[in-house]
């Protein structure tokens, strides 16, 4: 029962860590186009839902969605003037 209650909290923490790792990768490579392309390929190869239902995402997703990751790459590109 405790696991059911803590799963969303653990997922939230994991998503934040993964989002920070993505931001670090973008800053390190300075290649948002390649990052976005990689995310698209990973979602295709893994048959992942690029934008899962909100309830599923909030309850158990341990990584940002593909759509969120691609948006982060585009935001980085805008900020960097690419």
């Amino acid at each position: 029962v405790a696991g059911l209650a803590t799963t969303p909290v653990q997922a939230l923490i994991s998503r934040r860590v993964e989002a920070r790792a993505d931001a670090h990768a973008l800053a390190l490579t300075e290649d948002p186009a390649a990052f976005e392309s990689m995310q698209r390929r990973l979602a295709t190869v893994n048959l992942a839902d690029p934008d899962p239902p909100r309830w599923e995402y909030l309850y158990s997703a341990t990584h940002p969605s593909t759509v969120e990751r691609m948006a982060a790459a585009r935001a980085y590109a805008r900020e960097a003037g690419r």
Side-chain angles (χ1 to χ4, degrees):
V1 175
L4 291 173
T6 61
T7 295
V9 175
Q10 292 171 337
L12 174 65
I13 292 167
S14 179
R15 283 193 305 272
R16 288 189 176 172
V17 169
E18 290 296 331
R20 285 180 47 199
D22 290 349
H24 181 71
L26 284 164
L28 189 63
T29 64
E30 296 182 348
D31 194 348
F35 182 88
E36 185 174 346
S37 176
M38 176 194 66
Q39 293 301 325
R40 189 176 292 112
R41 280 193 316 269
L42 284 172
T44 302
V45 169
N46 294 328
L47 303 176
D49 184 348
D51 194 18
R54 191 78 180 145
W55 69 266
E56 180 183 343
Y57 176 82
L58 292 173
Y59 183 73
S60 64
T62 58
H63 289 71
S65 71
T66 300
V67 169
E68 287 177 319
R69 287 176 146 177
M70 292 169 61
R74 291 176 185 165
Y76 177 85
R78 278 192 306 276
E79 291 170 11
R82 295 183 185 266

